[in-house]
Amino acid sequence: MATRVQALALLLLFLLFSPAPAADSMSASSPVADGQTLVSAGGVFELGFFTSPASTSTARFLGIWYKGVAPLTVVWVANREAPITGTTASLAINGTGSLVLADRSGRVFWSSAPSNVASNSPVAKLMDSGNFLVQDANGTGPDLWQSFDYPSDTLLPDMKLGWHLTTGLDRYLTTWASPGDPSPGDYTFAIDIRGVPEGFIWYNGTAPVYRNGPWNGLRFSGEPEMAPDNGNFRFEFVANSTDAYYTFLVENGGGGNVVSRFVLNQSSLQRYVWLQQEHAWSLYWSLPRDQCDRYAQCGAYGVCDASASPICGCPAGFTPASPREWALRDGSAGCARRTRLSCTGDGFLPLRGVKLPDATNATEDASTSLDQCRQRCMANCSCLAYSASSIKESESGCIMWSSSLIDIRQFESGGQNLFVRLAASDLPSYGDSPSRRNTALAVVLSLSGLLFGLAGFFLWTKFMRNKGRRQSTRRLTSFDSSNPLAPVQDRNMDDESSESKGLRDVTLFDMPTIASSTDNFAASAKLGEGGFGAVYKGELGGGQKVAVKRLSKYSTQGLDEFKNEVVLIAKLQHVNLVRLLGCCVHGEERILVYEYMENKSLDKLLFDKARSAQLDWSKRLDIVLGVARGLLYLHQDSRFKVIHRDLKAGNVLLDGDMNPKISDFGVARIFGGEGADSHTRRVVGTYGYMSPEYAMDGVFSVKSDVFSFGVLVLEIVSGRKNRGMYSSGEQTSLLSHAWKLWREGNALALLDKVVAIGGDREPEEVRRCVQVGLLCVQERPEDRPHMAAVFLMLANLSAVMPQPRHPGYCSDRGSTSTDADCSLSCTVNEITLTVVEGR
Ligand SMILES: *[C@@H]1O[C@H](CO)[C@@H](O)[C@H](O)[C@H]1NC(C)=O
Ligand SMILES: *[C@@H]1O[C@H](CO)[C@@H](O)[C@H](O)[C@H]1NC(C)=O
Ligand SMILES: *[C@@H]1O[C@H](CO)[C@@H](O)[C@H](O)[C@H]1NC(C)=O
Ligand SMILES: *[C@@H]1O[C@H](CO)[C@@H](O)[C@H](O)[C@H]1NC(C)=O
Ligand SMILES: *[C@@H]1O[C@H](CO)[C@@H](O)[C@H](O)[C@H]1NC(C)=O
Ligand SMILES: *[C@@H]1O[C@H](CO)[C@@H](O)[C@H](O)[C@H]1NC(C)=O
Ligand SMILES: *[C@@H]1O[C@H](CO)[C@@H](O)[C@H](O)[C@H]1NC(C)=O
């Protein structure tokens, strides 16, 4: 009994002397004075008066901030335009449900718009979402007012950015004037609903600074890195007859809610996430990414490619409108048509992998197919371009442009297809009949949007045979080798000599020589089978051993294109690349001749129980480093950015000293030259090495090569084939096995049993290789490092390395095939265009 009384007394004492728990709501009878705050029920947000910590001013503002987060992170401010002097102001709610912020003298600094719904007893409540909501006390009526409808510079989860069309409510972000001053700044981020809805950052409400492009069912066209649902965030865009808004939601992951805010910070859009452990905000994503994000950087019809130099280029059929400025790297004048449109008989030039142009004057019809869209655009002479309006399942719907195409940029991956109207005579055609060859300068331009990322690729060829006309061709546009889109003026090139120079290092073999060197492609001479064809061992007259690659038949490239590709590939020279010695063309046959590698391919050694012990740890590490070097060269250092597309142990050859050399690089390009019919193309990769985005969506970038490299590294460490493990039941692929060991802190257990390591250094090297391997095979391409970073992490034991996230798997699509290569028939956005230019 006594104890119960004591407990009661204690409770009473506690109730008497503990501070009252902060309220989450206010009513007409309980205003909030300066010094008091409201705290949301779950303790997430706090509302009250503050002085900006980053400012010397003592002005007071009413705002909402994260409770318990330092430094003060304000997400909403009421009286942005009227700072309060002194500390006598209070927030009250009046009879018509308006919030009124006034000081003792009755001066009103801010008030919320009165609601058109009458309420007898309005209350205002701070929610855990950060919303400040005015409702009737009975809690059943409609919301009378909410702060989410009047954003400051911050978008919180569930907040809507954009329009409620029936009421005309436009919700947009306005930057702070400066980090310490919440008064409205010069930049706003708003959804523009003229034409097809898209987001714009405006300067001074009038000048566009950035545009994120129309929503394509998955993401904004200008933000290819945006995953519609990445496990942490879900992004949504609603556009119907009553609403047009963007919103994002956070998912409740295993470790509790993700806390994230999206801020317009001057001209920069930034997404922050709260790191619970570090007690800090981390910048998760931000804009602008590069110069190409600047609105209309390359003017009308110009295409901006951040990885090219110069960044502005003109599509086929267009030339710089102002060549002088263009040459001075000012692309703002844009591009002009070579030939005026004639309406009838025009055609369409596909631009692959781009951000769709400004759609404020465009029209959308989501109900049609892409084919109908093309027909409609063709039938309307004022239609200048069209594209699909959704790429959610497949390309469907229709957007048509009828004014200049402004603000197009090229993406390495994740861009969309835009079809630009061109006069028939400007249309790239694939004809190179001998008669035309004599009079035309053909420029082959590889618009390899997704496959090769366009960057740094060049390809030109010409068929000027008529010496008498050489003078005049000098004035024709040729192409800057560093940028396929950028014409350079008046490059004086001697056609004959540049051709012979290109071919100097490449031998043209004839078929009898090749056939006899390989015993007529005898089965006994066969070394292996790659994604692009079979390889045979050959011996040339002087006893020189060569590897002969007989390309699969589905390369339909013309003879000259093929030779040009070979010349290009032959120019890629690096100690870690297999040398291409020459080629052979005979009827349909296309054959490549490589230097021969004594120790054949890595898979023959690595996965062979009897021979794998030959590869001790230091050899394995050398091989990893060598392959990394070779791939880095292909991706970055060579004159043309080359994506391998089929990197695997079978394509790493070892010379007499066990030096690794990558083979088969650049061969993918040879399959790029189908001309007109480039929409469908068989893409060959190897099961187990293919990145998820390639296997599933056919999206290709350097990061897909990085994925394959990661698989290769894990294979070299473990001595196990990635695909070989799928058969043994659930989730036992090499990647998940490595991931499991890594998370258990047991990376060394992955090491091949036949390899012995010792000392301090070697275990660290193994761990590093496993970590690099896992970083490279991460699910999201943007998480994977570039080869330059990979090489640094491998070569430098003190380089800082991020923690890998969950790896991606090809097998997740439910493929049950465990055998051989999985050849996918994908639509891959790769096209090689020949622009045949009249004199
Ligand atoms: C409440 O405040 C609003 C905004 O200042 C004002 O329009 C309205 O008349 C006020 N209502 C009453 C009953 O004072
Ligand atoms: C609650 O208040 C609203 C607004 O004043 C009113 O429309 C509604 O009828 C009320 N409901 C009840 C159950 O009192
Ligand atoms: C901002 O726009 C207004 C007109 O809307 C104009 O008068 C003013 O000069 C502009 N300010 C700047 C800095 O461009
Ligand atoms: C528009 O979309 C919003 C959100 O999904 C929905 O609430 C609204 O009812 C829709 N309007 C129409 C007319 O479908
Ligand atoms: C604005 O950006 C700067 C640096 O980019 C950062 O330090 C600052 O915290 C940002 N402001 C907000 C409100 O997030
Ligand atoms: C849209 O049309 C208006 C009026 O013709 C024009 O001034 C404006 O430049 C056009 N905008 C774009 C992006 O083409
Ligand atoms: C052609 O397109 C223009 C611009 O979109 C539009 O105004 C016009 O009505 C269209 N004409 C026809 C016949 O559809």
Side-chain angles (χ1 to χ4, degrees), residues 494-689:
D494 188 329
D495 303 307
E496 226 88 82
S497 77
S498 64
E499 172 162 286
S500 50
K501 200 167 123 215
L503 279 171
R504 196 172 52 203
D505 306 330
V506 181
T507 313
L508 263 178
F509 295 92
D510 60 17
M511 196 58 180
T513 310
I514 296 295
S516 71
S517 81
T518 57
D519 254 345
N520 231 335
F521 301 104
S524 58
K526 191 161 167 175
L527 292 170
E529 182 91 41
F532 303 101
V535 185
Y536 299 84
K537 181 176 177 179
E539 199 165 325
L540 296 175
Q544 186 192 3
K545 286 179 189 159
V546 292
V548 174
K549 174 141 205 159
R550 197 179 191 184
L551 295 176
S552 315
K553 286 280 162 50
Y554 50 88
S555 163
T556 57
Q557 251 187 351
L559 178 61
D560 292 296
E561 285 76 15
F562 175 74
K563 282 188 200 156
N564 275 296
E565 291 288 352
V566 170
V567 170
L568 282 183
I569 298 172
K571 280 184 183 159
L572 298 172
Q573 292 189 11
H574 186 271
V575 43
N576 294 113
L577 299 182
V578 175
R579 272 288 298 279
L580 178 64
L581 301 174
C583 65
C584 165
V585 182
H586 181 80
E588 292 275 276
E589 290 273 7
R590 302 279 183 273
I591 289 168
L592 297 173
V593 180
Y594 291 100
E595 63 176 324
Y596 180 75
M597 293 286 131
E598 271 89 292
N599 280 312
K600 307 213 172 71
S601 59
L602 175 62
D603 59 337
K604 301 237 158 51
L605 213 54
L606 188 61
F607 304 135
D608 184 324
K609 287 208 168 58
R611 299 179 65 202
S612 63
Q614 288 179 32
L615 292 171
D616 62 18
W617 175 246
S618 76
K619 279 213 185 73
R620 286 181 197 226
L621 185 61
D622 283 346
I623 292 172
V624 167
L625 285 169
V627 175
R629 246 181 249 123
L631 202 54
L632 177 62
Y633 172 82
L634 287 177
H635 284 184
Q636 280 183 9
D637 299 340
S638 61
R639 283 175 67 198
F640 336 106
K641 180 161 164 177
V642 174
I643 300 181
H644 190 294
R645 298 208 307 179
D646 195 18
L647 183 68
K648 56 179 174 178
N651 274 336
V652 173
L653 306 187
L654 301 169
D655 72 5
D657 299 324
M658 288 287 192
N659 294 314
K661 286 171 191 257
I662 300 174
S663 75
D664 248 12
F665 53 90
V667 179
R669 295 191 50 153
I670 286 177
F671 293 87
E674 284 183 38
D677 179 28
S678 57
H679 288 269
T680 53
R681 178 164 302 132
R682 277 167 57 79
V683 169
V684 181
T686 302
Y687 191 55
Y689 291 90

Side-chain angles (χ1 to χ4, degrees), residues 434-441 463-464 466 469 837-839:
S435 62
R436 217 187 225 172
R437 230 185 262 167
N438 287 342
T439 53
L441 171 79
F463 302 98
M464 245 312 283
N466 188 334
R469 289 185 195 270
E837 187 190 70
R839 290 166 293 125

Side-chain angles (χ1 to χ4, degrees), residues 274-287:
W274 179 250
L275 303 179
Q276 196 58 52
Q277 256 112 50
E278 283 82 359
H279 279 277
W281 291 107
S282 148
L283 186 60
Y284 179 90
W285 176 88
S286 79
L287 269 179

Side-chain angles (χ1 to χ4, degrees), residues 361-363 376 379-383 400-402:
N361 289 337
T363 53
R376 267 195 217 179
N380 187 335
C381 296
S382 55
C383 177
M400 292 194 286
W401 283 262
S402 55

Side-chain angles (χ1 to χ4, degrees), residues 73-74 153-154 176 179 261 263-266 268 270 272 283:
T73 307
V74 176
D153 67 338
T154 301
W176 284 27
R261 63 194 169 96
V263 186
L264 177 66
N265 192 342
Q266 300 310 314
S268 168
Q270 303 174 333
Y272 290 91
L283 186 60

